[in-house]
């Protein structure tokens, strides 16, 4: 086991030594890339946790919604299913339904209920997408920041080579290897950000589609409950 650990430790130590030996410009570039990377990973981990909890709670909320006999029963327990975006869609539609129904329980404008749910779904997706553009910025910018550090380091290496007057690979190799560290650091910051941006974006689009489907299901439930209420009211009047 030590045979495998020792080379990794040696390589890690060499990389640390190369970073410590870089010039002030390269150190500044590496610091910028580190800040980008830390912020990106904080966003990735928080979004991943949020989406995982939302996915679990959405499944439970849909099951509770389909089992409920009345929309009021769902409204009483909806808060415990957050951060599911379907809760926001339901509350948007239910609020509009309650505003229209009043004591009679009949609805006058189902389109207004559908619009209210669309607005709520859009607000939920906006909440999910908050801070997500930072991952796109990281994926687009950090490779060029690393490339800037590489170009600057190579210029510095060749300038030192011209000053020394020794045109040998041994003379220029350390400077070039130090310069290429910034390129590797830029890619290390960009690749996870790009992968996470696409995966998180796909999950958010999936939630948006589920929100649209749930809005139609909610509208059916509203019309069904309004029909039941309108049927009961004349029967009570006849009594």
């Amino acid at each position: 086991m030590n045979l495998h650990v020792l080379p990794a430790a040696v390589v890690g130590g060499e990389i640390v030594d190369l970073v410590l030996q870089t010039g002030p410009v390269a150190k500044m570039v590496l610091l910028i890339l580190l800040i980008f990377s830390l912020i990106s990973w904080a966003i990735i981990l928080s979004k991943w946790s949020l989406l995982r909890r939302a996915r679990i709670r959405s499944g439970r909320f849909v099951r509770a919604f389909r089992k409920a006999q009345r929309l009021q029963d769902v409204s009483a327990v909806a808060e415990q299913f957050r951060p599911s975006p379907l809760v926001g869609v339901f509350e948007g539609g239910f609020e509009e339904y309650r505003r229209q129904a009043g004591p009679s329980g009949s609805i006058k404008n189902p389109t207004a209920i559908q619009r209210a749910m669309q607005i709520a779904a859009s607000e939920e997706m906006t909440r999910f997408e908050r801070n997500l553009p930072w991952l796109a910025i990281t994926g687009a910018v950090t490779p060029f920041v690393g490339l800037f550090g590489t170009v600057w380091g190579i210029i510095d290496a060749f300038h030192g080579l011209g000053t020394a007057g020794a045109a040998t690979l041994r003379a220029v190799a350390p400077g070039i290897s130090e310069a290429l560290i910034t390129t590797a650091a830029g890619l290390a910051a960009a690749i996870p950000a790009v992968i996470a941006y696409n995966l998180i974006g796909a999950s958010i689009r999936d939630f948006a589609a589920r929100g649209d489907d749930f809005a139609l299901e909610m509208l059916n439930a509203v019309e069904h409950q309004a029909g039941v209420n309108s049927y009961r009211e004349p029967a009570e009047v006849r009594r």
Side-chain angles (χ1 to χ4, degrees):
M1 184 174 64
N2 293 334
L3 294 177
H4 296 284
V5 175
L6 184 58
V10 172
V11 171
E14 291 178 352
I15 293 175
V16 172
D17 291 338
L18 287 175
V19 171
L20 294 176
Q21 292 171 8
T22 55
V25 174
K27 283 188 174 68
M28 181 62 66
V29 169
L30 291 173
L31 178 60
I32 293 172
L33 293 174
L34 178 62
I35 294 172
F36 268 95
S37 183
L38 291 176
I39 296 176
S40 297
W41 275 108
I43 295 173
I44 291 170
L45 295 176
S46 64
K47 292 293 181 184
W48 191 269
S49 176
L50 174 65
L51 292 172
R52 184 179 62 83
R53 288 185 288 115
R55 191 175 295 109
I56 295 172
R57 301 287 174 84
S58 293
R60 295 175 181 173
F61 178 70
V62 170
R63 288 192 294 270
F65 175 82
R66 291 172 179 170
K67 290 179 181 178
Q69 298 296 323
R70 301 184 309 158
L71 295 175
Q72 289 82 352
D73 298 335
V74 182
S75 177
V77 299
E79 193 64 29
Q80 71 185 40
F81 294 102
R82 291 191 183 276
S84 170
L86 303 183
V87 174
V89 176
F90 169 81
E91 289 180 344
F94 182 74
E95 186 66 26
E96 179 62 27
Y97 161 73
R98 191 170 57 180
R99 187 181 298 113
Q100 289 189 29
S104 64
S106 60
I107 58 174
K108 303 175 183 178
N109 189 0
T111 305
I113 298 176
Q114 187 174 10
R115 284 197 297 264
M117 288 188 289
Q118 289 176 345
I119 293 172
S122 178
E123 291 175 350
E124 290 293 323
M125 293 306 102
T126 301
R127 178 173 65 86
F128 272 36
E129 292 172 350
R130 190 175 297 126
N131 298 326
L132 196 60
W134 179 266
L135 299 181
I137 293 172
T138 300
V141 171
T142 51
F144 294 101
V145 175
L147 184 61
F148 168 78
T150 299
V151 172
W152 186 274
I154 290 175
I155 291 173
D156 188 53
F158 277 101
H159 177 73
L161 179 65
T163 303
T168 62
L169 183 61
R170 183 182 296 274
V172 74
I176 294 177
S177 64
E178 292 174 11
L180 291 175
I181 289 177
T182 57
T183 298
L187 294 176
I191 292 173
V194 172
I195 294 174
Y197 177 80
N198 286 280
L199 291 177
I200 294 172
S203 297
I204 292 175
R205 288 191 296 271
D206 180 64
F207 274 116
R210 293 177 67 180
D212 293 339
D213 294 340
F214 178 77
L216 296 176
E217 189 172 354
M218 170 72 177
L219 191 60
N220 289 337
V222 167
E223 291 178 346
H224 173 73
Q225 181 160 326
V228 170
N229 291 335
S230 63
Y231 173 77
R232 286 176 178 172
E233 186 179 0
E236 292 174 355
V237 171
R238 286 196 297 269
R239 291 194 189 98

